[in-house]
Amino acid sequence: MHNIETKIVKIEDLYNDSIDQPCEILKNGGLVAFPTETVYGLGALATLPDAVKKIFQVKGRPGDNPLIVHIDSADKIREVAYVDDRYLEIIEKITPGPITFVLRKRENIPYEVTAGLETVGVRIPAHPVAQRLSRCAGPIAAPSANLSGKPSPTDAATVIEDLRYRIECIIDAGESAFGIESTIVDLTRTVPLVLRPGPITMEELSTIFGAVEYYQPRQDEKPLAPGMKYRHYAPEKRLQMVEPSELANFIDKDVLILCSKETKESFLKNVDNVYVLGEFERPYTIAQNLYRSLRYLDKSKYEEGVIEKFPEYGIFFSIMNRIKKAISKG
Ligand code: TXA
Ligand code: MG
């Protein structure tokens, strides 16, 4: 399985035919890694069960973890799922963008995609390459394009590191804008239920839907988003999280300190073992660099890492959700 010649297709200009080859590969049942505005995805045509099965093999993904289906525009949502008019109107208003809706699936979406569930996650990415690819090939089933258990890739070099020789094609279109995975909202319940926080914040969702609930899986319960039970986003090295003021305890230790620019300037001036995640005042920059920093930690000379604890409002809530997964063991 690991001896496939992987075509690397660099797309800088959408006004040429560079999307044609990846599109043909998908239609022929091959796998294509492609950029979205959240993270890179590993795609197969959603209507080809055998192609979809290969995604699980290639990633080493547990078979009970469903995939998200990517389409290019909200007016195609009824080709893959059932949605009532009221929600469709909202979805049309707020997409394309970094959000996934869980809806009742249509018959043409095979259980290979949904891991046996009657529901399907549907996303309309804002990235022009993802849109073009789906417009050309059809609905694309895709998880993040990392090996299972590793942080999601936010650039093509990282996808190449994980998936070269395992898949037919990797599209390189630069860095992902958001750097963390889409917000997931389950719309099959009376009140919309947020299964995974993401770039669209809880505050924004409350404004959009009136009221939303936040789902927190209990230890003893089967989680609604099956992916949430796995240790995700995790570096191989030990990582702990501490208050910004405590980071100074790690100066000159064999530890990489991951923190905001502001924290470095307040507590860690002229310290070498620091990796700046981004700016506290522009928290989307922190989201954008988070997974890159976790992969960097593993490659660095440092024995372990320590990361700044952030507050839990707005996009920081989603950032903290990912950090907590990265520091959790098991
Ligand atoms: O931003 C993203 O969402 C990226 C890009 C590539 O679109 N994709 C992504 O996919 O993060 P993945 O497979 O790494 O995470 C999908 C999550 C999993 O936790 C899965 O359990 C959940 O979505 N999920 C998918 N379909 C579901 C469904 N029908 N019901 C509940 N959860 C679902
Ligand atoms: Mg993933």
Side-chain angles (χ1 to χ4, degrees):
M1 190 164 84
H2 307 336
N3 51 12
I4 297 174
E5 195 201 321
T6 307
K7 293 194 177 66
I8 315 281
V9 178
K10 213 174 164 77
I11 299 193
E12 283 156 336
D13 176 8
L14 267 179
Y15 298 98
N16 58 29
D17 56 8
S18 48
I19 206 84
D20 293 354
Q21 197 182 24
C23 174
E24 285 310 309
I25 291 173
L26 281 178
K27 286 182 180 168
N28 290 324
L31 302 189
V32 176
F34 62 98
T36 85
E37 74 277 30
T38 57
V39 300
Y40 273 69
L42 170 58
L45 208 59
T47 47
L48 300 178
D50 287 337
V52 172
K53 277 192 215 154
K54 286 195 290 186
I55 291 179
F56 289 84
Q57 287 165 11
V58 159
K59 281 194 58 141
R61 183 178 177 99
D64 64 351
N65 194 4
L67 308 178
I68 293 172
V69 171
H70 300 71
I71 55 176
D72 67 287
S73 122
D75 54 35
K76 291 191 185 152
I77 208 160
R78 285 186 167 145
E79 292 175 19
V80 296
Y82 295 97
V83 58
D84 66 36
D85 292 343
R86 183 174 53 110
Y87 280 146
L88 184 59
E89 210 175 290
I90 295 176
I91 293 170
E92 278 173 340
K93 246 185 235 153
I94 64 170
T95 61
I99 183 162
T100 297
F101 306 99
V102 171
L103 297 162
R104 202 152 59 81
K105 80 170 194 72
R106 283 193 82 100
E107 296 66 27
N108 59 332
I109 298 301
Y111 289 112
E112 280 77 4
V113 171
T114 67
L117 297 176
E118 291 302 330
T119 57
V120 60
V122 185
R123 173 153 129 72
I124 303 145
H127 198 293
V129 172
Q131 285 186 6
R132 277 282 299 272
L133 193 60
S134 171
R135 197 172 313 147
C136 167
I140 302 171
S144 49
N146 50 287
L147 292 176
S148 212
K150 290 206 183 198
S152 299
T154 56
D155 57 31
T158 309
V159 180
I160 290 170
E161 208 174 274
D162 277 15
L163 299 181
R164 190 172 210 172
Y165 307 121
R166 296 176 188 239
I167 62 176
E168 283 75 14
C169 178
I170 296 172
I171 301 179
D172 178 355
E175 277 181 33
S176 304
F178 288 105
I180 57 171
E181 305 84 353
S182 63
T183 304
I184 304 181
V185 191
D186 185 345
L187 295 180
T188 66
R189 318 188 148 249
T190 356
V191 178
L193 184 63
V194 180
L195 300 181
R196 179 173 74 183
I200 306 293
T201 64
M202 294 299 294
E203 292 84 346
E204 287 165 335
L205 291 172
S206 301
T207 310
I208 294 164
F209 289 103
V212 292
E213 282 168 1
Y214 179 58
Y215 173 70
Q216 272 175 307
R218 294 207 326 255
Q219 287 293 325
D220 55 344
E221 198 178 65
K222 189 170 182 272
L224 285 175
M228 299 189 29
K229 71 171 177 264
Y230 302 107
R231 181 169 178 239
H232 257 168
Y233 326 115
E236 264 142 43
K237 291 182 186 166
R238 192 170 105 93
L239 179 69
Q240 49 180 321
M241 177 174 73
V242 305
E243 296 289 344
S245 59
E246 289 170 25
L247 289 169
N249 300 336
F250 297 89
I251 296 172
D252 293 333
K253 295 222 167 94
D254 194 13
V255 174
L256 183 65
I257 304 173
L258 310 166
C259 67
S260 66
K261 181 164 162 265
E262 289 86 342
T263 296
K264 174 166 166 70
E265 282 163 8
S266 327
F267 303 107
L268 304 161
K269 279 209 188 82
N270 306 318
V271 176
D272 282 337
N273 52 321
V274 172
Y275 183 103
V276 173
L277 290 167
E279 295 174 42
F280 191 91
E281 288 300 324
R282 298 196 302 140
Y284 281 87
T285 60
I286 293 176
Q288 196 182 28
N289 285 315
L290 182 64
Y291 290 152
R292 180 168 311 111
S293 81
L294 299 181
R295 292 211 181 220
Y296 175 81
L297 168 64
D298 280 338
K299 288 197 192 117
S300 76
K301 61 180 184 183
Y302 298 99
E303 187 73 21
E304 54 184 273
V306 63
I307 190 163
E308 173 172 355
K309 186 174 182 195
F310 293 106
E312 298 201 52
Y313 54 78
I315 186 66
F316 279 123
F317 181 69
S318 311
I319 293 170
M320 282 291 284
N321 170 271
R322 304 304 193 272
I323 292 177
K324 285 177 187 168
K325 294 201 168 176
I327 62 173
S328 76
K329 291 264 165 355

